[in-house]
Amino acid sequence: MQINPSGLIPVLVHNGHPIYESDEILAYASRAAGPGAPSLVPAAAAAQAEMAWWIDYCSLSSSDPTGRAADRLGACIPGLTLPLFAAMIRFVPLRRIAVGLLFHFDRKRPAFFFMAKLLGLRRAMRLPAVAALIDASRRPMRGHLARVEAALGNSAGPWLLGAEFTLADISLACALLRLDETGWLPRFAAAGGLPATLTYYDRVRARPSWQAAIEDMRHPIVDRGVATLRSTALFAP
């Protein structure tokens, strides 16, 4: 709370200075990486504008995470992540959830965790408000993934902006990771076919940086939640 009064992560602290919000952290890390690091920002102004559009499209706001779900892919992610949160909360001590109920600025989040802890995964997913949020996120996500599929199919290179890997690819990869962990990505692919998106996702995961930043840093509670979801058939495609 001393680092971020909003009580949210991620937060990057560099030289004693905190940087909030995922997109700001990415941009700051790119600027501060030093002259020997590969550039993640294209040189051309038009490409920079396109990159900024993709970052905004794939991001979510901490103040209104599910706002504008019809317009932004990132706004669909929180609702579609609810099943994973409900699966993971089984492995979190109740006292930790109580701390959230006492101190978190948005009481709806720890309240959901508390209910999921008490009800279990299946019954928590049947709560009307939860089911409605998931449905309101799932419906526009189909269109968003179709847009991503078309963009990747028309790209002149292996990445969103062509030959150059940029911050836009990091933003999209984070969204695809969450959809993969929750099981939505294969469901959407089975329903509509996303060959370019799945190939792109495999390409991102083959990067050494993915191994270092994602695979080598996996949290056991996340892995247990993912395993629980994959063994529980909750949703039709």
Side-chain angles (χ1 to χ4, degrees):
M1 297 297 288
Q2 290 178 340
I3 295 173
N4 185 355
S6 296
L8 295 174
I9 56 172
V11 178
L12 172 67
V13 179
H14 185 242
N15 293 333
H17 176 65
I19 300 96
Y20 313 131
E21 301 289 349
S22 299
D23 297 330
E24 294 299 324
I25 291 172
L26 289 174
Y28 181 89
S30 178
R31 293 192 302 268
S39 175
L40 295 174
V41 178
Q48 290 179 15
E50 185 179 2
M51 181 190 75
W53 186 90
W54 277 106
I55 291 174
D56 179 70
Y57 182 64
C58 295
S59 67
L60 58 93
S61 168
S62 59
S63 59
D64 186 16
T66 58
R68 296 173 53 206
D71 303 320
R72 295 168 62 249
L73 181 152
C76 299
I77 296 296
L80 296 179
T81 308
L82 287 177
L84 179 57
F85 287 153
M88 291 191 300
I89 208 66
R90 171 186 173 192
F91 309 107
V92 177
L94 193 59
R95 66 180 184 277
R96 302 300 298 272
I97 306 171
V99 172
L101 286 170
L102 290 173
F103 298 109
H104 202 287
F105 80 98
D106 183 359
R107 300 298 173 83
K108 296 191 296 294
R109 300 183 193 187
F112 167 72
F113 296 152
F114 185 76
M115 292 299 297
K117 181 77 170 179
L118 294 181
L119 295 175
L121 175 60
R122 290 183 179 275
R123 286 195 293 169
M125 292 300 97
R126 289 197 291 266
L127 291 171
V130 173
L133 180 55
I134 291 174
D135 187 59
S137 303
R138 175 173 55 179
R139 285 183 283 105
M141 179 57 84
R142 295 185 186 277
H144 293 317
L145 287 177
R147 185 172 199 164
V148 169
E149 178 72 12
L152 292 172
N154 293 327
S155 176
W159 310 115
L160 269 174
L161 303 188
E164 189 174 2
F165 184 84
T166 71
L167 294 175
D169 293 293
I170 297 177
S171 294
L172 177 58
C174 290
L176 294 177
L177 168 63
R178 188 60 62 88
L179 291 175
D180 183 25
E181 287 178 329
T182 54
W184 288 110
L185 185 59
R187 287 184 173 90
F188 285 127
L194 299 169
T197 301
L198 295 180
T199 300
Y200 168 88
Y201 185 50
D202 287 341
R203 193 179 300 125
V204 174
R205 290 190 295 172
R207 293 175 64 87
S209 56
W210 180 280
Q211 179 67 40
I214 305 298
E215 300 301 336
D216 292 349
M217 297 294 176
R218 295 197 64 86
H219 195 286
I221 289 181
V222 176
D223 287 340
R224 294 170 78 178
V226 170
T228 298
L229 278 184
R230 290 179 178 174
S231 64
T232 306
L234 290 175
F235 310 110

